[in-house]
Amino acid sequence: MARPHIEFVQCQNVEWQAQPDGTEVKRLNIDPVDGEETLLVRYPAGFSRADTGELDRAEEYFLLDGGLTIGGNAVGFHGYGFIPRGTPAGDRTSERGATLLVFRHGRSDRNSGSDVAEAISIDTPAMPWDVSTYDPKLTHLRLARKILRLGPNDSCRTFLLTGMPHGVPDVDGLPAETHDHCEEMFMISGEMWAPEGLMRPGSYFYRPPGIRHGPHVSPSGFFQIMRSPGVNAIVTKWEETMSPLPIGAAYSPVMPEGTPESWRREWTGAAAY
Ligand SMILES: [Fe+2]
């Protein structure tokens, strides 16, 4: 079973679910058969858990706030890691608490086991931004990226993507796009307009192959973590006709069947001033 299309949910509208180990989770998207999933995990202050043994699914993580120690390795602000399936989860402790974004790979995924995939641990703030050539159809977003992981056998790229404020071109329209692979995104900060509405911090989408999307523009700039399950290099098919810029689009999310109605609430965020 493939993962369902969701585009997009504000994670503030998803309830925390208490777990037996004392953590809480917000499960944002899942393949219930193979266990591939994306979730937020909140570790309370003073958390301590012994190693639970070999992982049945590879785990990618990105630390959103707080601090966490995994197998003796301190993970700080925006720390990223990959733990292959079949290697220990590692004991976990958190003095002041932590919020972790977790991408679990499927149990049967042959590209994320310890026989083919290497463990990764990156202090991402210390990485340089790559501002080299991007897709010319996206120059209006003034993009920069940091590539965190390239999966074996062209299986998935994970990267940070940011765009400068005032990413709105002086044109009437821009082309929509499609890919033959999946795309997944979590908005860390900033905002981006899409035809589905304004993606604010904490917004999330999982987009299966062949879904038409965009155009996207960003008056205030944005910073997100993205994945491309299925490929390491994103390939985009651009439409020849132009679509209107989505500024002001009403929130109109695509949600899987059975999604709680509360996930569809518009999230306008706290006042900044
Ligand atoms: Fe795309």
Side-chain angles (χ1 to χ4, degrees), residues 177-179 183 207 213 216 226 234 236:
E177 58 181 276
T178 54
H179 313 283
E183 278 191 312
R207 185 187 292 142
H213 57 281
H216 300 110
M226 285 202 77
I234 288 176
T236 303

Side-chain angles (χ1 to χ4, degrees), residues 10 13 36 42 56 62 104 111 116 149 232 255:
Q10 288 288 154
N13 282 330
E36 187 182 336
R42 190 157 73 180
D56 70 335
F62 183 80
R104 289 207 177 103
N111 292 311
V116 292
R149 180 172 185 269
N232 284 351
M255 300 250 176

Side-chain angles (χ1 to χ4, degrees), residues 10-12 186-191 199-203 267:
Q10 288 288 154
C11 72
Q12 295 87 346
F186 184 89
M187 187 72 79
I188 301 162
S189 61
E191 297 176 338
M199 293 187 272
R200 296 179 166 91
S203 59
W267 171 261

Side-chain angles (χ1 to χ4, degrees), residues 137 173-177 212 214-215 237-244:
K137 290 226 170 31
L174 289 167
E177 58 181 276
R212 178 181 186 270
K237 292 176 196 160
W238 294 100
E239 280 186 0
E240 286 184 13
T241 55
M242 296 291 150
S243 297

